[in-house]
């Protein structure tokens, strides 16, 4: 890494600073560990150093693209050339003798249908090959127009360069040679596949021709399709589901309604903004259904209502009016494909509310019987019993500062079953020393 930086930067003080940064070590549970390899995770300059380091790989891939690419264009398919000549012969017959045009229509129609089923170029032309690459951080994709016998040695050459020049190892489990017309490839969260040919009808007058003739053409051959990885999406939805159905998020029950709605909005809007280039982006409607009913069930648990009453109270799209008059509603924009990505002005400014970090005494023994095994937390005063005056963010802060008591599993069950008849839990809590531990 330092040798690569020296190629462009002739400043020993800067190089020395980078050396200290790379060898500074790290703390884990307040234990110091030395750095033997790699860059610090989470640092703001680690992505920059990654791109600087892998710029050597970009140069090698660019040289390989020039080396293995050959031919200016594919040669035409011989069968298609013969069909075009036969079609031209039929058209010339019709021009020479207009009286026989009716008898030639059937032959002309059959030739046109055969031309639509015949590729324009010889896709297995050994004299034509193209190699292109795309890299994003440490993920890369190499596209090859050519035989599989070209892809396999190219993969080995890249692996050898990574190890010999950069001391990096190619991930063999994730690196695959895929035939895109028949299989799907994965890159940056998308699935890629080569589109099959489609027939489309067009009016020649729209192309500037004076003739109002509808022509059938073959399109989309070899184009790349972007698809939503439905299997990965299903895994992400398991957080919002239980037993195959939408389920409430217990971690959001005690939060304000607008924060719960904006949390689910951030998830749904983020998925759509990322996958809006996919052809099957409409499949996200199922994810929206799961999030919508998970939101409704979360609100139902918070307000102790049924899901039907939640929809009657907040509407089909679950909208809530804040005290300042601003309306917050669940994401219900149409899920349509966007051909070209655009920067959205709508940004989730409100932070996503995750699990609360509360004070804990799990390292203590049971305050009732002294058992050090299976210690749990018992909230002496439940958040719902704090009264109706505590609302909004004050309610959230109150939940952070609930008084907790370390109790073993057996005593905890007795308390909630009403079998505990000992000293007042509040008085036991008052005798405990304060704890600053944070979970």
């Amino acid at each position: 890494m330092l040798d690569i930086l020296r190629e462009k930067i002739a400043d020993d003080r800067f190089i020395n600073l980078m050396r200290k940064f790379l060898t500074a070590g790290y703390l884990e549970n307040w234990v110091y560990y030395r750095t033997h390899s790699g860059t610090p995770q989470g640092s703001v300059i680690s992505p920059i150093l990654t791109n600087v380091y892998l710029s050597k790989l970009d140069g090698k891939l660019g040289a390989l693209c020039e080396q293995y690419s050959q031919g200016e264009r594919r040669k035409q398919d011989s069968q298609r050339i013969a069909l075009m000549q036969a079609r031209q012969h039929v058209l010339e017959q019709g021009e020479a003798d207009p009286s026989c045009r009716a008898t030639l229509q059937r032959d002309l129609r059959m030739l046109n249908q055969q031309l639509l089923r015949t590729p324009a170029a010889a896709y297995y032309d050994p004299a034509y090959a193209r190699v292109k690459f795309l890299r994003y951080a440490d993920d890369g994709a190499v596209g090859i127009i050519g035989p599989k016998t070209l892809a396999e040695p190219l993969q080995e050459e890249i692996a050898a360069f990574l190890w010999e020049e950069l001391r990096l190892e190619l991930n063999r489990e994730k690196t695959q040679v895929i035939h895109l017309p028949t299989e799907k490839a994965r890159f940056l969260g998308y699935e890629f596949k080569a589109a099959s040919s489609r027939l489309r009808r067009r009016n020649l007058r729209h192309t500037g021709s004076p003739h109002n003739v509808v022509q059938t053409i073959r399109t989309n051959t070899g184009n790349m399709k972007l698809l939503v990885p439905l299997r990965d999406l299903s895994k992400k939805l398991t957080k919002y589901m239980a037993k195959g159905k939408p389920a409430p998020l217990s971690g959001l029950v005690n939060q304000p309604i607008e924060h719960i709605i904006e949390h689910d909005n951030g998830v749904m809007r983020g998925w759509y903004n990322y996958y809006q280039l996919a052809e099957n982006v409409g499949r996200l409607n199922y994810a929206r259904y799961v999030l919508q009913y998970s939101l409704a069930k979360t609100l139902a648990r918070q307000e102790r209502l049924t899901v039907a009453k939640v929809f009657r109270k907040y509407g089909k799209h679950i909208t809530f009016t804040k005290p300042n008059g601003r309306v917050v509603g669940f994401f219900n924009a149409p899920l349509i494909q966007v051909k070209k990505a655009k920067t959205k002005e709508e940004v989730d400014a409100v932070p996503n509310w995750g699990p609360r970090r509360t004070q804990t005494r799990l390292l203590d023994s049971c305050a009732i019987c002294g058992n050090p095994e299976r210690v749990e937390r018992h909230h002496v005063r439940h958040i719902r019993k704090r009264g109706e005056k505590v609302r909004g963010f004050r309610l959230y802060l109150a939940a952070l500062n609930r008084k907790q008591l370390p109790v073993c599993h057996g005593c905890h069950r007795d308390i909630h079953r009403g079998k505990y008849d000992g000293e007042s839990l509040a008085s036991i809590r008052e005798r405990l020393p304060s704890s600053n531990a944070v979970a």
Side-chain angles (χ1 to χ4, degrees):
M1 181 76 251
L2 297 178
D3 291 340
I4 295 175
L5 291 175
R6 286 194 184 96
E7 294 178 2
K8 297 290 184 180
I9 303 174
D11 188 342
D12 290 339
R13 291 178 299 176
F14 177 81
I15 300 299
N16 190 37
L17 179 63
M18 288 295 102
R19 180 185 294 106
K20 292 179 179 179
F21 170 76
L22 294 173
T23 59
Y26 64 96
L27 288 176
E28 184 175 352
N29 295 328
W30 298 104
V31 178
Y32 174 77
Y33 296 90
R34 295 186 61 83
T35 301
H36 300 286
S37 63
T39 59
Q41 293 290 326
S43 171
V44 293
I45 68 171
S46 290
I48 300 175
L49 293 179
T50 300
N51 281 327
V52 171
Y53 197 78
L54 293 180
S55 63
K56 294 288 185 179
L57 176 62
D58 295 342
K60 177 63 176 179
L61 291 175
L64 291 176
C65 291
E66 296 181 2
Q67 175 184 346
Y68 286 100
S69 298
Q70 58 180 349
E72 294 185 2
R73 57 184 304 174
R74 290 190 182 99
K75 65 179 182 180
Q76 286 189 319
D77 186 81
S78 58
Q79 183 180 0
R80 184 179 179 85
I81 294 176
L83 290 173
M84 289 290 292
Q85 291 175 351
R87 181 174 179 271
Q88 184 65 26
H89 179 68
V90 172
L91 292 175
E92 289 176 355
Q93 283 184 323
E95 290 291 336
D97 187 3
S99 62
C100 68
R101 289 182 179 179
T103 60
L104 297 175
Q105 285 184 356
R106 181 181 178 183
D107 295 338
L108 186 61
R109 188 180 299 111
M110 291 179 60
L111 289 171
N112 287 334
Q113 292 176 356
Q114 292 180 15
L115 282 170
L116 291 175
R117 294 192 297 266
T118 306
Y123 288 107
Y124 299 99
D125 183 4
Y128 180 86
R130 286 291 184 272
V131 179
K132 301 290 184 180
F133 79 94
L134 178 64
R135 182 183 67 83
Y136 184 87
D138 60 342
D139 290 332
V142 179
I144 300 174
I145 297 177
K148 187 176 181 180
T149 54
L150 172 61
E152 293 174 343
L154 184 60
Q155 176 183 344
E156 295 302 324
E157 191 169 351
I158 294 173
F161 173 81
L162 287 173
W163 178 250
E164 296 172 1
E165 300 294 332
L166 301 179
R167 291 296 183 266
L168 298 175
E169 187 175 355
L170 187 67
N171 192 329
R172 297 289 181 173
E173 296 180 357
K174 295 183 179 180
T175 305
Q176 299 174 340
V177 178
I178 297 175
H179 186 230
L180 289 179
T182 57
E183 301 176 79
K184 295 178 182 178
R186 303 289 299 276
F187 186 61
L188 299 181
Y190 272 92
E191 284 186 343
F192 290 79
K193 193 177 186 302
S196 57
S197 60
R198 286 188 282 184
L199 303 181
R200 184 171 64 88
R201 297 173 67 85
R202 68 171 182 176
N203 195 322
L204 292 183
R205 180 170 289 180
H206 296 162
T207 63
S209 173
H211 305 289
N212 188 18
V213 178
V214 177
Q215 183 185 35
T216 303
I217 61 174
R218 183 179 180 178
T219 62
N220 211 34
T221 303
N223 291 351
M224 301 303 299
K225 293 196 302 184
L226 301 181
L227 303 173
V228 178
L230 301 178
R231 184 172 298 178
D232 290 355
L233 192 63
S234 300
K235 292 180 181 179
K236 294 178 182 179
L237 288 175
T238 55
K239 176 183 177 182
Y240 304 91
M241 302 181 69
K243 297 181 180 180
K245 296 181 180 180
L249 283 178
S250 56
L252 301 177
V253 170
N254 292 322
Q255 295 177 12
I257 296 176
E258 61 269 24
H259 292 161
I260 302 176
I261 297 176
E262 287 169 345
H263 172 273
D264 287 1
N265 270 353
V267 175
M268 188 62 214
R269 189 183 298 116
W271 286 347
Y272 173 64
N273 287 343
Y274 189 78
Y275 290 115
Q276 61 183 341
L277 299 175
E279 284 194 9
N280 61 343
V281 67
R283 295 293 186 93
L284 292 178
N285 277 309
Y286 175 70
R288 177 158 59 184
Y289 153 75
V290 173
L291 289 172
Q292 182 180 10
Y293 274 81
S294 174
L295 171 61
K297 291 185 177 182
T298 303
L299 297 179
R301 177 176 291 185
Q302 182 188 66
E303 302 187 12
R304 300 184 179 182
L305 300 173
T306 63
V307 175
K309 289 183 179 179
V310 168
F311 281 115
R312 283 199 294 267
K313 180 177 180 180
Y314 297 105
K316 178 181 178 181
H317 300 297
I318 309 182
T319 58
F320 173 76
T321 304
K322 299 173 67 173
N324 59 3
R326 178 173 173 262
V327 178
V328 180
F330 182 67
F331 181 83
N332 62 346
L335 302 179
I336 57 177
Q337 182 190 14
V338 177
K339 298 294 184 180
K340 185 177 181 181
K342 299 179 181 179
T343 303
K344 299 287 185 179
E345 296 182 359
E346 185 178 8
V347 180
D348 297 313
V350 177
N352 291 335
W353 296 76
R356 290 186 297 271
R357 298 172 62 85
T358 60
Q359 290 186 345
T360 181
R361 307 188 59 94
L362 293 182
L363 298 179
D364 295 347
S365 301
C366 178
I368 298 176
C369 66
N371 184 7
E373 302 294 333
R374 299 186 66 183
V375 177
E376 303 172 354
R377 291 177 295 176
H378 173 69
H379 298 132
V380 177
R381 192 176 184 190
H382 201 280
I383 189 64
R384 288 196 299 267
K385 299 178 181 178
R386 286 187 168 269
E388 296 295 331
K389 294 183 180 179
V390 183
R391 297 175 180 235
F393 192 69
R394 293 180 60 191
L395 180 67
Y396 186 79
L397 293 177
L400 285 175
N401 299 313
R402 282 184 288 178
K403 293 183 178 180
Q404 301 170 18
L405 189 68
V407 292
C408 65
H409 181 70
C411 294
H412 201 186
R413 294 185 59 159
D414 291 341
I415 293 172
H416 284 285
R417 289 177 177 178
K419 296 182 179 180
Y420 175 74
D421 57 356
E423 184 183 356
S424 169
L425 298 178
S427 61
I428 297 177
R429 176 64 180 81
E430 293 299 329
R431 292 203 311 266
L432 291 176
S434 61
S435 173
N436 293 326
V438 177

